[in-house]
Amino acid sequence: RKEVEQDPGPFNVPEGATVAFNCTYSNSASQSFFWYRQDCRKEPKLLMSVYSSGNEDGRFTAQLNRASQYISLLIRDSKLSDSATYLCVVNTRASGSARQLTFGSGTQLTVLP
Amino acid sequence: EPEVTQTPSHQVTQMGQEVILRCVPISNHLYFYWYRQILGQKVEFLVSFYNNEISEKSEIFDDQFSVERPDGSNFTLKIRSTKLEDSAMYFCASSGTGGRSTDTQYFGPGTRLTVL
């Protein structure tokens, strides 16, 4: 089973649509959860951290279900600039304080005019 | 806004040659990381570094790889004898200290390594 699993897409949606991405992770010891976005041939950029209570940042809402080992990202009122690959990322404590990020393969989103 | 920087942006080398990839982490961060992404594949962890020593490394990070913090600002990844399969984008990342700031890693723009 993959450590972090995402639907690869692609998701093609019209501007203004609401789109949801899902992700599951296999390591129950995982401690921190993130959504990053990655534009073509660029670095991953932090979109938001995901907390157990769920959190919202403008048009973006992230949810975490630890019991089901499931993470989601909802984008409302999508913009052309939201077109990117969305990476589900899980952080598992390594020895000491250092942590390593485990990335999903990403879900590709294209927002169409 | 502080950011991670990396040089060069693109490195072309012959198989068997040594390469050094350079990174300048965010200035008050104390945890440093290298990741790689082979074209079309997911980002993979290589190594984490704290307090002048490796904290953890993946199976990819074999004896051909080494990391160093030669001074107060640079963090380097050396590949001693490059192979064709080392061709990838290499990302440096850093994170802060204490609580959630240690969790959140910020990535540099990457160095595209092409091994011929």
Side-chain angles (χ1 to χ4, degrees), chain A residues 32 36 38 43 94 99-100, chain B residues 31 33 37 56 103 105 108:
Chain A
S32 305
Y36 281 73
Q38 186 174 31
E43 76 272 25
R99 296 168 168 89
Q100 68 178 66
Chain B
Y31 293 89
Y33 312 85
Q37 186 175 31
E56 192 178 21
D103 288 349
Q105 297 181 24

Side-chain angles (χ1 to χ4, degrees), chain A residues 4 31-32 34 36 38 41-44 46 49 51 87 91-92 94-95 97-105, chain B residues 31 33 35 37 39 42-45 48 55-56 89 91 99-100 102-110 112:
Chain A
V4 179
Q31 300 178 334
S32 305
F34 308 89
Y36 281 73
Q38 186 174 31
R41 294 181 175 241
K42 301 283 190 183
E43 76 272 25
L46 179 68
S49 303
Y51 304 122
L87 306 174
N91 191 334
T92 305
S95 56
S97 299
R99 296 168 168 89
Q100 68 178 66
L101 296 181
T102 301
F103 284 76
S105 299
Chain B
Y31 293 89
Y33 312 85
Y35 293 82
Q37 186 175 31
L39 188 63
K42 63 181 180 179
V43 177
E44 299 173 290
F45 170 79
S48 59
S55 298
E56 192 178 21
M89 183 75 98
F91 294 110
R100 284 191 169 137
T102 306
D103 288 349
T104 305
Q105 297 181 24
Y106 296 91
F107 285 74
R112 180 166 299 282

Side-chain angles (χ1 to χ4, degrees), chain A residues 28-100:
Chain A
S28 59
S30 300
Q31 300 178 334
S32 305
F33 310 89
F34 308 89
W35 286 99
Y36 281 73
R37 67 170 279 169
Q38 186 174 31
D39 294 290
C40 188
R41 294 181 175 241
K42 301 283 190 183
E43 76 272 25
K45 289 191 174 174
L46 179 68
L47 183 64
M48 58 198 304
S49 303
V50 188
Y51 304 122
S52 295
S53 55
N55 48 301
E56 187 174 309
D57 183 3
R59 298 181 293 108
F60 300 86
T61 301
Q63 295 277 351
L64 167 65
N65 184 324
R66 284 188 185 267
S68 303
Q69 295 180 202
Y70 171 91
I71 308 160
S72 66
L73 175 69
L74 185 76
I75 306 175
R76 289 182 300 278
D77 188 24
S78 51
K79 313 288 185 194
L80 296 176
S81 57
D82 294 333
S83 297
T85 297
Y86 288 81
L87 306 174
C88 178
V89 183
V90 170
N91 191 334
T92 305
R93 184 187 292 272
S95 56
S97 299
R99 296 168 168 89
Q100 68 178 66

